Amino acid sequence: MKDFSAQNISFTDFKLNGFYSLGEWRPFLFIPLFLMFFLAITANSILIYLITSQRSLHSPMYVLIGLMGVVDLLLPIFFVPSMLLSFLFNWSGISLTGCLIQMFCLHFVGTFQTTLLFWMALDRYFAICKPLYYHKYKEISNFLKFVFAPLIRNVLLIVTIVSLAGRLSFCATNVIDHCFCEHMALVQLACGDISVNNIVGLLTVFLVPTADFILIIASYVVIFTSVFKSGKAHTKALNTCITHLIVLSVALTSALIAFLSYRIRNNISSNNRIVISIMYLCFPSCFNPVIYGWRTKEIRHTFLKFISKKVFTF
């Protein structure tokens, strides 16, 4: 009778237990993560301000860069502040509803990191390979054709995985061995069958970031081939594309390792898994403003003018 009643208890409050094995060293994690958070918030806020305030930066490519800045600004806000408070004050409690909301926000907004990169790659493809059709492609009616399909895909997949996770019963433990509500970190605590959650989670990984990455690679291959054949000097564009691929490759590799580590036997420790998860969320947020901001000539010049005005004002 005891066993029967215990099996029908489903926890609705959880404790995020990430990095607790570090003991007295755990609070020191506040320093590097706060610095990363500060860099991401500051750099992306400046980037968004410059693009929204300067009419010269209102072209489609800069609008996409601004949207990337919004994504990179929001992602750390969804989980880093609560994680920092947990390190300092040991505040680690979270409700099931709060956990599901955080999960949805992280994964939904996170999907647009690669989706926006795909739209940028598409923009570069038309600008470099088909310059005569560039303005036609950038008409709202034509551009929306490339927006709706990825948008609907992202919404449907993330809503599905979060809804499935919310229907599970958690009767074994309420301790999540993570610093935030990642999908599989919560799902693996369920006391029922989670095979459907596993399948849908893997489908999401391969249909969103992996599919976007393949499309981006294909776009850049066509761009590189076109540039080399034509002999045109597009060194800046090529350098930017290569940097995009490096950052995207690191983020995608980290995401795949984090997602697959829950599903296959491995020797990855809990702490290393959490570091990998933080990396695929925070790494792009810290480095994208440099790649898409500082390395873009027009944005860099606008930023330097903005700084010089502020200096002379004081």
Side-chain angles (χ1 to χ4, degrees), residues 144-165:
L144 287 178
K145 295 176 185 176
F146 300 101
V147 172
F148 278 127
L151 181 62
I152 293 169
R153 174 200 62 180
N154 295 0
V155 171
L156 287 178
L157 287 170
I158 300 304
V159 167
T160 300
I161 66 170
V162 174
S163 300
L164 289 172

Side-chain angles (χ1 to χ4, degrees), residues 1 24 32 72 79 84 110 132 142 193 195 215 242 256 287:
M1 198 67 181
E24 62 184 9
D72 291 333
F79 76 100
L84 294 178
L132 296 178
N142 290 326
D193 181 23
S195 56
L215 291 170
I242 291 169
L256 288 174
F287 288 93

Side-chain angles (χ1 to χ4, degrees), residues 130-149:
K130 297 188 179 293
L132 296 178
Y133 297 95
Y134 182 70
H135 292 292
K136 184 179 179 181
Y137 152 73
K138 282 304 178 183
E139 291 175 2
I140 295 297
S141 58
N142 290 326
F143 182 68
L144 287 178
K145 295 176 185 176
F146 300 101
V147 172
F148 278 127

Side-chain angles (χ1 to χ4, degrees), residues 4 22 60 71 105 152 178 213 219 226 261 265 281 287 301 303:
F4 178 81
L22 296 180
V71 168
C105 292
I152 293 169
H178 214 296
F213 183 73
S219 300
S226 175
S261 64
R265 289 186 177 183
L281 288 173
F287 288 93
H301 286 174
F303 174 72

Side-chain angles (χ1 to χ4, degrees), residues 7-293:
Q7 298 252 341
N8 282 274
I9 294 173
S10 183
F11 292 108
T12 56
D13 292 292
F14 296 88
K15 183 178 180 181
L16 293 163
N17 207 38
F19 293 120
Y20 262 84
S21 60
L22 296 180
E24 62 184 9
W25 292 101
R26 187 172 182 266
F28 289 98
L29 292 173
F30 175 89
I31 298 171
L33 286 168
F34 175 77
L35 292 175
M36 288 180 67
F37 180 67
F38 180 78
L39 173 62
I41 296 301
T42 304
N44 285 293
S45 296
I46 292 172
L47 181 63
I48 294 166
Y49 173 77
L50 291 175
I51 291 173
T52 54
S53 63
Q54 301 298 317
R55 285 184 176 273
S56 60
L57 299 179
H58 287 181
S59 63
M61 184 58 185
Y62 299 122
V63 171
L64 288 173
I65 292 175
L67 290 173
M68 178 62 75
V70 173
V71 168
D72 291 333
L73 177 69
L74 290 176
L75 265 179
I77 290 175
F78 288 142
F79 76 100
V80 175
S82 60
M83 189 165 59
L84 294 178
L85 290 173
S86 175
F87 292 155
L88 284 183
F89 306 111
N90 210 23
W91 296 349
S92 55
I94 189 169
S95 66
L96 177 59
T97 302
C99 192
L100 293 172
I101 290 172
Q102 187 185 59
M103 184 192 302
F104 174 81
C105 292
L106 283 174
H107 292 304
F108 178 66
V109 175
T111 58
F112 284 95
Q113 284 188 320
T114 55
T115 300
L116 278 164
L117 287 175
F118 165 63
W119 289 336
M120 288 181 189
L122 202 62
D123 179 90
R124 292 301 85 200
Y125 165 75
F126 278 97
I128 295 173
C129 301
K130 297 188 179 293
L132 296 178
Y133 297 95
Y134 182 70
H135 292 292
K136 184 179 179 181
Y137 152 73
K138 282 304 178 183
E139 291 175 2
I140 295 297
S141 58
N142 290 326
F143 182 68
L144 287 178
K145 295 176 185 176
F146 300 101
V147 172
F148 278 127
L151 181 62
I152 293 169
R153 174 200 62 180
N154 295 0
V155 171
L156 287 178
L157 287 170
I158 300 304
V159 167
T160 300
I161 66 170
V162 174
S163 300
L164 289 172
R167 293 171 60 185
L168 296 172
S169 295
F170 304 94
C171 56
T173 179
N174 68 336
V175 177
I176 302 173
D177 194 10
H178 214 296
C179 290
F180 53 89
C181 286
E182 194 174 48
H183 175 241
M184 282 307 298
L186 175 67
V187 168
Q188 68 173 356
L189 301 182
C191 49
D193 181 23
I194 61 169
S195 56
V196 175
N197 302 79
N198 269 316
I199 293 169
V200 176
L202 284 173
L203 278 175
T204 302
V205 172
F206 289 109
L207 289 177
V208 181
T210 307
D212 287 342
F213 183 73
I214 292 170
L215 291 170
I216 291 166
I217 292 289
S219 300
Y220 285 164
V221 167
V222 175
I223 290 171
F224 293 161
T225 305
S226 175
V227 170
F228 291 137
K229 280 184 177 179
S230 65
K232 294 177 182 176
H234 282 295
T235 308
K236 183 183 78 170
L238 293 178
N239 287 338
T240 305
C241 290
I242 291 169
T243 314
H244 293 179
L245 291 177
I246 292 171
V247 174
L248 182 57
S249 298
V250 172
L252 181 62
T253 303
S254 302
L256 288 174
I257 292 172
F259 294 148
L260 294 175
S261 64
Y262 287 102
R263 297 172 171 89
I264 58 176
R265 289 186 177 183
N266 59 78
N267 296 320
I268 300 176
S269 67
S270 170
N271 289 346
N272 288 337
R273 185 186 292 126
I274 297 169
V275 169
I276 292 169
S277 297
I278 292 172
M279 190 174 178
Y280 82 75
L281 288 173
C282 283
F283 184 78
S285 293
C286 292
F287 288 93
N288 280 344
V290 177
I291 296 168
Y292 302 110

